[in-house]
């Protein structure tokens, strides 16, 4: 029996879920409220475990061709401007065919996957179609969208809500989004300046500083010429105008590198950051995946990776149930796996990563640096650390949750 799956949201999680379902022979309709994919600077770091999944969907070659491979990442002490520790993904070469991360902006993944979906007969993409209602009974789910002539109804066997942190699907299900919002917002300044040449840092560098930490990383940009994003905490009291002002931007960039030319700055963005997990990941025939199910701070680049893992899990589950290979009880496994894994590998790691960057107590800072140095210097600990940061441990643990 062929099932029809409605997917809400054509962000990176929605498009991957749609492609994974369509490739398994499920009929897919993907709804996206906007007419175009959002290009604002968000996720860029794709870890080895997720690269394996993109390879399985046949997306990896094109995805890598518009990004850059980053084998190393570094921790720096921003006060003394010294390198604390460097980690090398090559330590994972016996665990994964992809012992590196790929830095490709998330909108590129959405656009690549949308092009693939366009050529698949059982997949329909409806851009500019926002979902405003979700109802269900034991036989199916109905999504309501706003049509030109009034509300339109669409019937499905199952629905996957991939409609981001403010998910309408989650709200329609009345599922609580448990957690908290950080008081400070995160400011992203994008520049064409080459920090690797100026500072000797690598394309993923975390700079700890009790006054103001920085995440510094490189992406290729749409022109593939390369650019750097510097992420800073904005003070609670700082308005958008103040954070974007020439003097505040100059102060931050000059602190990173004294000779940073302001005319190389190409983008400014500021956003609010949360640590939240939906109380339920499934209600009846409706699943939540990606930011609709969980949000976190971006230090470590884990949120989207985990969302893509959700997408593959729900697609496999629906295929097995719809094809009769498994009974409806398999549907429960999605939440049994995905919710605790998000808490253990994404919420806990990102909170710890942020805390390490902003630590103020000199003794704790020193202890953190010593621990990082010890971990990097010991091959066993080095590999264990990367198994966790790359979410390979999370994928292996998922496989053990029946
Ligand atoms: C600055 C920043 C940096 C980040 N860096 C990283 C990183 O390096 N690595 C990482 O893993 N994560 C990172 N993240 C997190 C990452 O961006 C998100 O986890 C990711 O966007 C989630 O994808 P998604 O598809 O679940 O949701 P979204 O990307 O939010 O997409 C949701 C889509 O649903 C659509 N939509 C919303 N409501 C409706 C509706 N009612 N009907 C139809 N469509 C709807 C929206 O228009 C949107 O296109 C970062 C986040 C930020 C803000």
């Amino acid at each position: 029996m062929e099932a029809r799956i409605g997917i809400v949201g054509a962000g990176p999680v929605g498009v991957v879920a749609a492609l994974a379902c369509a490739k398994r022979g499920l009929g897919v309709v993907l709804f996206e409220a906007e007419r175009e994919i959002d290009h604002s600077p968000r996720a860029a770091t794709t870890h080895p475990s997720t690269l394996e999944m993109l390879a399985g969907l046949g997306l990896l070659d094109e995805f890598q061709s518009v990004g850059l491979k980053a084998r190393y990442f570094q921790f720096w002490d921003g006060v003394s401007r010294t390198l604390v520790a460097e980690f090398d993904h090559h330590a994972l070469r016996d665990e994964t065919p992809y012992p590196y991360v790929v830095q490709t902006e998330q909108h590129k993944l959405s656009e690549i996957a949308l092009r693939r979906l366009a050529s698949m007969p059982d997949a329909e993409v409806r851009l500019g179609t926002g979902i405003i209602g979700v109802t269900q009974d034991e036989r199916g789910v109905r999504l309501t969208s706003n049509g030109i002539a009034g509300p339109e109804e669409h019937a499905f066997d199952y629905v996957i809500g991939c409609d981001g942190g403010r998910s309408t699907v989650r709200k329609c299900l009345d599922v609580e989004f448990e957690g908290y919002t950080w008081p400070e917002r995160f400011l992203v300044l994008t520049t064409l300046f080459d920090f690797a040449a100026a500072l000797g840092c690598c394309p993923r560098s975390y700079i700890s500083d009790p006054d103001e930490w920085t995440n510094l990383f490189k992406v290729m940009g749409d022109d593939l010429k390369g650019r750097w994003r510097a992420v800073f905490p904005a003070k609670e009291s700082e308005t958008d105008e103040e954070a974007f002002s020439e003097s505040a931007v100059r102060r931050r960039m000059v602190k990173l590198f004294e000779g940073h030319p302001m005319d190389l700055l190409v983008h400014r963005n500021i956003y609010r950051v949360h640590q939240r997990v939906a109380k339920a990941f499934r209600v009846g025939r409706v699943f939540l995946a990606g930011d609709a199910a969980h949000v976190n701070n971006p230090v470590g680049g884990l949120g989207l990776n985990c969302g893509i893992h959700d997408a593959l899990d729900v697609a496999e589950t629906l295929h097995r149930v719809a094809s009769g290979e498994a009974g409806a009880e398999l549907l429960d496994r999605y939440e049994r796996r995905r919710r605790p894994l998000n808490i253990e590998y994404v919420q806990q790691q990102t909170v710890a990563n942020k805390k390490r960057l902003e630590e103020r107590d000199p003794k704790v800072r020193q202890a953190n640096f010593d621990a990082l140095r010890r971990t990097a210097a010991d091959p066993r600990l080095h590999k264990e650390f990367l198994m966790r940061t790359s979410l390979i441990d999370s994928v292996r643990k998922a496989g053990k949750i029946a």
Side-chain angles (χ1 to χ4, degrees):
M1 182 205 107
E2 195 194 270
R4 263 172 66 80
I5 315 295
I7 298 176
V8 185
V13 175
V15 294
V16 168
L19 200 58
C21 287
K23 277 190 170 258
R24 286 171 169 83
L26 299 165
V28 165
V29 183
L30 174 62
F31 297 92
E32 168 55 47
E34 302 299 328
R35 295 197 173 277
E36 286 178 355
I37 296 300
D38 179 7
H39 277 223
S40 65
R42 295 177 69 186
T45 300
T46 309
H47 291 285
S49 54
T50 314
L51 296 176
E52 291 182 28
M53 294 176 190
L54 297 184
L57 292 172
L59 296 174
L60 188 62
D61 289 344
E62 193 176 352
F63 182 72
Q64 283 188 169
S65 74
V66 289
L68 66 92
K69 283 185 188 173
R71 174 172 160 179
Y72 303 97
F73 67 98
Q74 296 174 337
F75 289 93
W76 287 73
D77 176 357
V79 176
S80 62
R81 294 183 165 234
T82 51
L83 178 65
V84 174
E86 178 174 88
F87 288 87
D88 180 359
H89 283 87
H90 202 54
L92 301 177
R93 63 193 175 281
D94 295 333
E95 308 293 338
T96 173
Y98 312 107
Y100 49 81
V101 305
V102 170
Q103 303 270 109
T104 298
E105 301 92 322
Q106 68 179 56
H107 68 266
K108 294 179 181 171
L109 175 59
S110 294
E111 288 170 348
I112 293 168
L114 280 180
R115 282 198 293 276
R116 302 289 172 97
L117 283 167
S119 64
M120 300 182 83
D122 290 333
E124 182 187 344
V125 178
R126 299 192 56 170
L127 297 178
T129 309
I131 295 302
I132 54 170
V134 184
T135 54
Q136 60 174 320
D137 58 27
E138 61 285 354
R139 280 170 299 134
V141 192
R142 296 187 94 75
L143 294 178
T144 310
S145 65
N146 253 337
I148 301 167
E152 289 173 1
E153 296 244 308
H154 316 267
F156 297 100
D157 296 295
Y158 299 97
V159 160
I160 313 172
C162 306
D163 48 343
R166 294 183 186 151
S167 171
T168 301
V169 175
R170 190 187 64 240
K171 287 174 190 159
C172 289
L173 298 174
D174 207 15
V175 169
E176 203 182 321
F177 210 20
E178 296 177 329
Y180 57 90
T181 299
W182 293 102
E184 72 274 38
R185 288 166 305 148
F186 283 21
L187 173 70
V188 189
L189 301 175
T190 307
T191 173
L192 301 177
F193 184 68
D194 183 1
F195 280 108
L199 296 178
C201 65
C202 76
R204 287 181 69 209
S205 294
Y206 297 98
I207 305 174
S208 161
D209 191 313
D211 290 332
E212 194 172 70
W213 53 264
T214 315
N215 264 358
L216 195 54
F217 58 99
K218 185 175 179 183
V219 292
M220 291 311 288
D222 287 344
D223 59 7
L224 302 186
K225 289 185 176 161
R227 57 197 55 210
W228 287 73
R229 291 185 190 160
V231 184
F232 304 88
K235 292 194 175 40
E236 246 183 287
S237 57
E238 207 170 353
T239 63
D240 287 10
E241 294 68 39
E242 282 164 357
F244 290 157
S245 70
E246 284 304 296
S247 60
V249 170
R250 183 186 301 276
R251 180 187 67 70
R252 287 186 162 109
M253 297 313 267
V254 162
K255 189 175 170 201
L256 276 182
F257 182 73
E258 241 168 57
H260 178 272
M262 286 291 282
D263 57 346
L264 293 187
L265 209 82
V266 289
H267 199 267
R268 303 158 202 224
N269 188 30
I270 193 161
Y271 62 97
R272 205 160 271 298
V273 187
H274 318 265
Q275 303 285 156
R276 293 183 187 274
V277 181
K279 196 158 187 168
F281 277 28
R282 177 175 79 93
V283 176
R285 291 172 169 269
V286 184
F287 294 75
L288 297 174
D291 276 20
H294 44 76
V295 287
N296 53 272
N297 80 68
V299 188
L302 292 168
L304 173 55
N305 283 267
C306 186
I308 291 174
H309 298 197
D310 296 342
L312 271 289
D313 195 312
V314 70
E316 190 229 279
T317 303
L318 291 178
H319 167 67
R320 289 185 59 196
V321 172
S323 65
E325 198 188 301
E329 64 283 354
L330 189 73
L331 301 176
D332 293 333
R333 191 186 65 182
Y334 177 73
E335 176 171 308
R336 230 180 7 251
R337 275 183 175 174
R338 301 310 310 159
R339 194 171 185 278
L341 289 175
N342 180 270
I343 293 168
E344 180 178 353
Y345 289 93
V346 177
Q347 301 298 329
Q348 289 178 9
Q349 280 200 91
T350 54
V351 171
N353 289 346
K354 178 174 179 292
K355 199 165 183 305
R356 185 162 44 207
L357 284 185
E358 68 195 11
E359 183 57 58
R360 285 173 176 275
D361 182 329
K363 283 201 190 115
V364 181
R365 283 188 91 229
Q366 196 50 53
N368 287 344
F369 293 161
D370 292 345
L372 282 170
R373 283 193 192 100
R374 264 197 315 277
T375 306
D378 177 318
R380 186 181 58 83
L381 296 177
H382 194 121
K383 183 171 170 182
E384 272 176 23
F385 186 78
L386 290 171
M387 289 291 282
R388 188 168 162 77
T389 60
S390 65
L391 296 181
I392 295 177
D393 278 349
S394 157
V395 171
R396 293 197 180 161
K397 195 160 179 181
K400 291 186 190 140
I401 301 174

